[in-house]
Amino acid sequence: MSDQQPTGAEIVVRALQEQGVEHIFGYPGGAVLPIYDVLFQQEAIEHILVRHEQGAAHAAEGYARSTGRPGVLLVTSGPGATNAVTGLADAMLDSIPVVCLTGQVPTHLIGTDAFQECDTLGITRACTKHNFLVKDVNDLARVLHEAFHIATSGRPGPVVVDIPKDVQFKRGTYAGPREGLLHPTYQPQTQGDPARIAQAVELILSAKRPVFYVGGGVINAGPRASDLLRELARLTGFPVTSTLMALGAFPASNPQWLGMLGMHGTYEANLTMHECDVMVALGARFDDRCTGRLDAFSPRSRKIHVDIDPSSINKIVRVEVPIVGDCASVLEALVAGVAPRVSEIDAAAREAWWERIQGWRSRRSLSYLKSDETIKPQYAIERLHALTRERETFITTEVGQHQMWAAQHFHFDRPNRWMTSGGLGTMGYGIPAAVGVQVAHPEALVIDIAGEASVLMTMQELSTAVQYRLPIKLFILNNEYMGMVRQWQQLLHGGRYSQSYSAALPDFVKLAEAYGGKGIRVSDPAALDDAIRAMIDHPGPVIVDCVVDKAENCLPMIPSGAAHFEMILPDTAAAEVTEAGRMMV
């Protein structure tokens, strides 16, 4: 590249290099060919060719979630940009730092319905943290550096930079990233208000029935936040529960962990949330899958809410102590405030509280009936965890019953090892996300726990894994149904299974072989361990078609419209669903 008057395409690649980008996921098209030409002439950034632009976005998400660094994708104009929208919406809801570069028709053709033109700015405005249309090549470098700043600071999220083709050809001035770059209208608050933190410390010390409610913001704040959470829990001895997005922020092996809360959370986690007198919400957003019916959510508790996004405070649940700030910095302040005063915690009340919690735990809400003839999906996840726990393992999932069984029965002791679609619930997320994780961690074991319906939505990305020698493993819990749809139809719609059967499924073993991978089918519980070991030991991509009980339901379950303490438990699943459970929202 020339150091003076580079082209717009050269500016793009140089900016990516200066941002420390090592991998970019993409799919070429006419409106981005100048950028692809420059990528061809350099070696600092490796381009990973996906098979669909949605796959590029999910791969960038998996890369970002497993590393803490922004994921980057490059797609062409029109359908290239619109195909990426699902992944951008997914990243937006789950607060994942992604920078999406899209091509656009030349500036003089914008608004003329030119070939492969769409209003990328208008389409992505609602599903991105910010977006740009760059019409002047001299603005391009600044915009790109701002895009990375916005995507990674404050509450992380996706940013789109739309670049017309003529801007990629024009020559202009390159400006490097400025030290301490701040967008003039975007300066997120990272340090919590000391007065609010002092209030929070007093409330924590006075609690009789406390709970730490941990959300994905703790993981987004980096490993230090997870370490500080563990220290605060150790100091106080308080119980800890987490959302789906926060699994691994607190060790599942720690006896203070109550498991996941929410629609498919544990009985003890949901009852603790309902009966607590002080709730400390850390980087959580009180989404509907956790709260259940809002008018019945934890009615007797005083609430502390820590979040870097001020719009999340009091958005859904009113709280007594709102703290806007980065979870790591606020947790550090809370630890500093609590540590010298731990003797003020009412130890007798805490012991009595734990006795109540142990009573709820004794219900064994994640129990299930084992079988010697049929593989139970819960058992499959338990064996997968047992046989991989000594390895550096990353888990992605699709969306459905298998996702919830994975959350319940695969236990995480470290952050950034669990990649799943939470807010958007995107079927097809898991394979491309696994591609992104494996690119970032080439020596690790990366497994997509999947359902046979979800996995078909982005199966073409197995071709990407084969091309780049990415040994991802697809562990399919095959019950021949859209399992969660079937479960809701059974429990809430009178057993009318409208379009929930996955008819005409492929032979997954042959499908794996067709892509150049390895296929394994297992239906006997006695053969399951050997199948998992064979999957792990194979040096390339593998599909395990694990045939599981077709009628098994994912329990516990809070029916839609019910309160968070109104749960269907394994021993009550045959009972009639309550009237609240029949209500749909």
Side-chain angles (χ1 to χ4, degrees), residues 491-542:
L491 297 176
L492 306 175
H493 294 277
R496 294 178 292 278
Y497 301 118
S498 177
Q499 302 299 316
S500 57
Y501 177 64
S502 299
L505 288 170
D507 182 327
F508 284 106
V509 172
K510 291 182 179 178
L511 187 59
E513 293 170 350
Y515 276 109
K518 178 180 178 62
I520 302 169
R521 183 178 174 89
V522 59
S523 58
D524 183 353
L528 180 60
D529 280 15
D530 286 343
I532 293 173
R533 291 190 187 99
M535 175 191 78
I536 294 170
D537 292 342
H538 186 72
V542 179

Side-chain angles (χ1 to χ4, degrees), residues 392-543:
E392 178 76 351
T393 303
F394 294 79
I395 298 294
T396 70
T397 77
E398 308 295 332
V399 168
Q401 283 179 318
H402 63 275
Q403 176 192 29
M404 294 298 106
W405 281 317
Q408 292 172 340
H409 298 279
F410 200 105
H411 303 301
F412 298 89
D413 281 347
R414 299 168 64 189
N416 304 106
R417 300 302 187 274
W418 165 252
M419 275 59 65
T420 195
S421 174
L424 196 62
T426 306
M427 294 174 71
Y429 169 87
I431 299 178
V435 166
V437 175
Q438 193 77 77
V439 167
H441 306 276
E443 303 303 319
L445 176 63
V446 181
I447 304 172
D448 173 28
I449 297 176
E452 81 291 336
S454 283
V455 80
L456 290 175
M457 290 196 168
T458 53
M459 177 58 74
Q460 67 273 9
E461 298 308 332
L462 192 59
S463 180
T464 299
V466 171
Q467 177 178 346
Y468 293 93
R469 295 180 174 83
L470 304 172
I472 64 171
K473 318 301 182 185
L474 277 57
F475 190 76
I476 301 173
L477 301 183
N478 187 347
N479 59 13
E480 298 184 358
Y481 277 99
M482 291 176 237
M484 195 62 81
V485 172
R486 182 207 59 77
Q487 176 171 328
W488 280 48
Q489 288 173 335
Q490 175 191 339
L491 297 176
L492 306 175
H493 294 277
R496 294 178 292 278
Y497 301 118
S498 177
Q499 302 299 316
S500 57
Y501 177 64
S502 299
L505 288 170
D507 182 327
F508 284 106
V509 172
K510 291 182 179 178
L511 187 59
E513 293 170 350
Y515 276 109
K518 178 180 178 62
I520 302 169
R521 183 178 174 89
V522 59
S523 58
D524 183 353
L528 180 60
D529 280 15
D530 286 343
I532 293 173
R533 291 190 187 99
M535 175 191 78
I536 294 170
D537 292 342
H538 186 72
V542 179
I543 295 179

Side-chain angles (χ1 to χ4, degrees), residues 16 43 176 382 444 580:
L16 295 179
E43 296 181 354
E382 288 176 352

Side-chain angles (χ1 to χ4, degrees), residues 88-378:
L88 295 174
D90 192 274
M92 183 68 177
L93 280 172
D94 287 347
S95 305
I96 308 303
V98 167
V99 174
C100 174
L101 308 180
T102 62
Q104 185 54 274
V105 299
T107 52
H108 67 277
L109 291 179
I110 292 175
T112 68
D113 295 330
F115 177 67
Q116 289 194 333
E117 180 193 3
C118 72
D119 180 8
T120 300
L121 234 62
I123 290 170
T124 62
R125 184 169 289 118
C127 62
T128 56
K129 189 175 175 183
H130 197 65
N131 59 14
F132 300 89
L133 171 61
V134 184
K135 293 185 176 181
D136 185 341
V137 67
N138 293 305
D139 292 332
L140 186 54
R142 173 186 58 80
V143 166
L144 287 165
H145 296 310
E146 282 191 10
F148 279 86
H149 170 69
I150 293 169
T152 57
S153 56
R155 178 180 176 179
V159 177
V160 164
V161 181
D162 199 28
I163 312 171
K165 189 170 184 178
D166 59 325
V167 173
Q168 298 171 42
F169 279 120
K170 288 179 180 177
R171 294 188 176 272
T173 303
Y174 178 82
R178 288 172 290 166
E179 194 70 29
L181 173 70
L182 290 176
H183 191 281
T185 60
Y186 181 64
Q187 300 182 33
Q189 179 179 334
T190 59
Q191 302 296 317
D193 181 349
R196 294 291 193 187
I197 290 172
Q199 282 182 279
V201 169
E202 296 300 329
L203 199 52
I204 289 169
L205 295 174
S206 67
K208 309 295 183 185
R209 302 185 309 279
V211 65
F212 290 120
Y213 159 39
V214 181
V218 171
I219 289 181
N220 286 342
R224 180 166 157 268
S226 293
D227 291 341
L228 289 163
L229 169 65
R230 297 168 196 217
E231 177 63 10
L232 185 59
R234 185 193 67 80
L235 287 168
T236 60
F238 291 175
V240 181
T241 182
S242 72
T243 66
L244 178 73
M245 301 307 298
L247 296 179
F250 191 78
S253 59
N254 190 304
Q256 288 174 245
W257 194 61
L258 306 180
M260 182 177 70
L261 79 156
M263 179 171 280
H264 293 285
T266 66
Y267 185 68
E268 55 267 30
N270 284 322
L271 267 290
T272 298
M273 290 283 283
H274 181 68
E275 296 292 339
C276 71
D277 70 340
V278 172
M279 179 188 300
V280 186
L282 300 165
R285 57 188 179 89
F286 294 97
D287 68 283
D288 61 295
R289 283 326 193 232
C290 289
T291 63
R293 198 176 71 242
L294 276 174
D295 63 359
F297 176 69
S298 194
R300 292 174 290 276
S301 68
R302 291 173 293 172
K303 300 172 182 69
I304 302 164
H305 188 190
V306 179
D307 204 293
I308 200 164
D309 181 3
S311 70
S312 291
I313 303 289
N314 290 322
K315 179 179 180 179
I316 297 171
V317 172
R318 299 290 300 179
V319 301
E320 282 70 26
V321 184
I323 303 176
V324 177
D326 175 74
C327 280
S329 64
V330 174
L331 277 165
E332 184 175 35
L334 291 176
V335 168
V338 169
R341 301 174 59 188
V342 289
S343 61
E344 297 178 34
I345 294 174
D346 189 333
R350 182 179 58 194
E351 184 177 349
W353 180 226
W354 271 110
E355 287 178 3
R356 290 189 67 188
I357 293 171
Q358 296 299 349
W360 296 324
R361 270 182 169 167
S362 68
R363 294 292 300 271
R364 298 179 67 244
S365 61
L366 297 183
S367 62
Y368 62 96
L369 294 176
K370 291 191 170 90
S371 171
D372 293 330
E373 298 179 355
T374 304
I375 297 176
K376 294 288 186 175
Q378 302 95 322

Side-chain angles (χ1 to χ4, degrees), residues 531-553:
I532 293 173
R533 291 190 187 99
M535 175 191 78
I536 294 170
D537 292 342
H538 186 72
V542 179
I543 295 179
V544 173
D545 185 12
C546 183
V547 181
V548 299
D549 190 332
K550 296 181 183 180
E552 190 74 8
N553 284 331

